[in-house]
Amino acid sequence: MSAAPLALYRRSLGNFRDTISIVMRRFAVRPARYPRILWSVWLIAWALLTVAVFLRLDAGAGEMRGEWSPGFVRFTDFFTQFGLGGWYLIPAALCLVAANLTDWRGLSRQRRMLVYNWTCFAFLVLCAAGLSGLAVNLLKYGIGRARPLYFNDFGVLSLHPFAMDARFAGFPSGHATTMGAVFGILLLLFPRRWYIALAVTACIASTRVFVGAHYPSDTVAGFGLGLAFAVVSGLVFARLGFIFGQTSSKLPVRKRTFRLAPFRAPRHRVSVAGENGELGADRTPTH
């Protein structure tokens, strides 16, 4: 192995070990003080909404399949592509790879802060969208609900558990789960604009109904699942001090230092240097 690839390998391995060390250290020294969120209430509300949509809308959606105008179907088919997880997971993974190969010590303070923020953001996307994607695939193949395409053959509720067939992978919707995770991330980062994020992501999730891939209850269940994974990821990140700060009574609050665009760091504050060289966005230097 030549010198350059060997140096790159050592840098990558060192960065990975440093990251794991930081995460483990913060888990050890920071108590698990998570805000009191009424998860049982949200779970019951989510389940009741899914059941209500199933009872009121699913049969009608199955009967309407194939009756939408071709122009409308093409319109929804274009926007439904934005529910694919690859749009979010691939850039996030590439960002983490680039950060892992970066010589952090050779960066200026401002650039190091920028790379740090992008690394945290990419990790949040992978946790929220990636883990929810794994969960929804386990659920949809384990439940085995037939898609609306086979409404005339199987009806609105036909279950084929572990058939491992895409025809019977309707509940929950994977695209809607991704959109729920995206909404959750935007909700945490931009809480004052939650209604805009909800409108956009819910509309994209609903396109799965119009293209005939899912029933309405599939999308509601998936959207809620993705949102839950995003909120839990945000809570864990807040405990670690990544992107968010901990609170005792509400959702994590984004730190002032978290920005994804270049900015000038305030004088007399260190953006990324912490104890023992640890990366952190909330440390003040000691002279």
Side-chain angles (χ1 to χ4, degrees):
M1 183 178 294
S2 61
L6 181 60
L8 192 64
Y9 168 76
R10 289 177 175 174
R11 181 192 304 163
S12 174
L13 183 61
N15 285 340
F16 179 77
R17 288 176 174 173
D18 289 344
T19 301
I20 297 300
S21 175
I22 291 169
V23 171
M24 297 303 295
R25 187 185 309 124
R26 292 194 176 191
F27 267 125
V29 301
R30 298 182 179 220
R33 291 197 301 261
Y34 297 110
R36 296 180 179 179
I37 297 177
L38 300 177
W39 290 106
S40 59
V41 174
W42 286 104
L43 179 61
I44 293 173
W46 174 36
L48 290 177
L49 179 60
T50 302
V51 171
V53 170
F54 165 75
L55 295 175
R56 300 289 297 179
L57 300 179
D58 280 13
E63 294 171 355
M64 285 291 294
R65 188 194 61 80
E67 298 187 13
W68 305 104
S69 66
F72 180 68
V73 172
R74 287 194 298 270
F75 175 80
T76 55
D77 188 56
F78 171 78
F79 282 99
T80 202
Q81 303 303 319
F82 292 100
L84 290 170
W87 286 102
Y88 315 96
L89 297 178
I90 293 176
L94 292 177
C95 182
L96 288 181
V97 171
N100 182 251
L101 297 176
T102 298
D103 181 7
W104 290 73
R105 295 176 178 82
L107 298 176
S108 65
R109 179 178 300 176
Q110 290 79 9
R111 290 184 178 180
R112 198 182 308 170
M113 183 63 178
L114 184 63
V115 174
Y116 168 79
N117 284 338
W118 273 103
T119 302
C120 291
F121 177 66
F123 192 32
L124 176 64
V125 171
L126 281 182
C127 289
L131 294 179
S132 64
L134 291 175
V136 76
N137 276 287
L138 292 174
L139 285 174
K140 64 173 17 182
Y141 284 103
I143 295 171
R145 186 185 188 186
R147 295 180 184 269
L149 180 63
Y150 307 99
F151 173 75
N152 294 331
D153 298 326
F154 300 108
V156 73
L157 185 60
S158 179
L159 305 181
H160 304 261
F162 302 105
M164 307 309 292
D165 189 328
R167 296 177 301 169
F168 308 114
F171 183 89
S173 165
H175 285 64
T177 300
T178 299
M179 284 296 96
V182 172
F183 169 64
I185 293 172
L186 295 176
L187 172 66
L188 295 174
L189 294 179
F190 310 102
R192 295 183 180 180
R193 300 291 186 267
W194 68 268
Y195 51 91
I196 299 177
L198 177 61
V200 173
T201 53
C203 284
I204 295 176
S206 69
T207 60
R208 303 304 291 162
V209 177
F210 302 118
V211 300
H214 289 283
Y215 291 104
S217 61
D218 299 337
T219 62
V220 172
F223 196 90
L225 180 66
L227 173 59
F229 268 85
V231 171
V232 171
S233 298
L235 293 173
V236 175
F237 271 54
R239 177 183 175 182
L240 294 173
F242 299 152
I243 302 179
F244 308 104
Q246 278 189 305
T247 59
S248 58
S249 60
K250 55 184 179 180
L251 295 178
V253 177
R254 185 184 65 180
K255 292 182 177 181
R256 286 186 175 184
T257 50
F258 179 77
R259 300 181 184 180
L260 297 178
F263 69 102
R264 178 174 296 180
R267 184 175 297 180
H268 302 308
R269 283 186 61 84
V270 171
S271 300
V272 294
E275 295 177 359
N276 300 322
E278 176 180 335
L279 296 176
D282 56 350
R283 300 288 185 177
T284 302
T286 57
H287 299 287

